[in-house]
Amino acid sequence: MATATKSLKKQGSDLAQSNKQLEILSNGIFQNGELPTFKTKISETSQFPLKAKKLEILQINVGYMCNQVCDHCHVDAGPDRKEIMTRDTMRQCLEVIKNTGAHTLDLTGGAPEMNPDFRWFVEEAAKAGIKDFIVRSNLTIIRANKKYYDLPEFFKKHNIHVVSSMPHWTRGKTDKQRGDGVFDKSIKALQELNAVGYGMPGSDLRLDLVYNPSGAFLPGDQAAMEKDFKKALMEDFGIEFHNLFAITNLPIARFLDFLIASENYEDYMYSLVEAYNPAAVENVMCTNTISISWDGYLFDCDFNQMLELPVNSKSKHISEFNEELLEGRNIVISQHCYGCTAGAGSSCQGVVA
Ligand code: SF4
Ligand code: SF4
């Protein structure tokens, strides 16, 4: 069973510190040359420095608070995390959303719905008419408390594209990774999303699921897994959804803690390096995304945000957002990036190559 009830930060773990994580990722097998660093690897195919292209996706992390404490969480989120985006920072984000050329807005957390200004922000942001407005919902939040029961209707009203984690179609595997009772609540939430039209064949109300492995291994083939998920969820619970994204766990925060505690860190890094696919490098999410933290700072991706690796640009905060300056910036990389280029690649959007 998922055993953690507190974030690494609350536990006072060394690994809650980003510099400690970066130290681990830079030392040992990467320092002694057993494995090539990510920089060396992408240099082999002349892909260093990795450059940002045109901005297409704004990903906003509205806070690290979550109703769950999943074993693999790269955010180290949990009920004890207090970092929450204020309405003032949201206003600065809205200015950028109105003026950007990005076609996708992606709200994440923690559980973004737990930010007290979440609904206000969604209502305001939806007015900008961004083509694809994603909310990453962990599903159980919809069943966590009466005040969230109407979320499916709320999402529908604002034509939100719901992207939800669902580690497996069986209770055992899901609860092991995400905590007791998560599977049943997730199933109920999916049925409620279906009931308002989400995920139905031909429906414009998009409902996608995200799978990530529950241990120190890489995800299998995305298309085959989607087929298996669809069959099982339909047969067992009558649930429909659109696409499944298979995501590789990146070796940071709680997943890094798990790898070290289970003595799997080195083997896992070997598997990531062995599965390195230069074709996936071209389309990793940092090349067309800006990630904004709860306090308004800009990062190449949500993973770099958690490692506190800010963008390599003069435009560092939402208050001084400058799309021209950000375009063409050198992406900040480290060994965790191998997680985005293994096999068919992954980042936050599923297969990229
Ligand atoms: S993985 Fe998602 S649902 Fe689980 S603790 Fe992290 S933010 Fe919350
Ligand atoms: S971890 Fe972030 S910076 Fe590194 S390749 Fe993935 S998306 Fe890009």
Side-chain angles (χ1 to χ4, degrees), residues 38 50 250 284-286 300-301 303-304 331-334 336-337 340-341 347:
F38 190 71
L50 188 55
L250 263 69
V284 282
M285 69 175 292
C286 49
D300 296 311
C301 68
F303 308 112
N304 281 9
I331 306 284
V332 181
I333 54 166
S334 181
H336 64 296
C337 296
C340 293
T341 55
S347 299

Side-chain angles (χ1 to χ4, degrees), residues 47 93 116 137 140 147 208 223 260 268 274 286 299 304 320:
Q47 285 166 299
C93 291
S137 176
T140 60
K147 69 178 176 182
D208 297 325
I260 293 170
Y268 190 70
E274 267 163 30
C286 49
F299 299 85
N304 281 9
E320 54 184 22

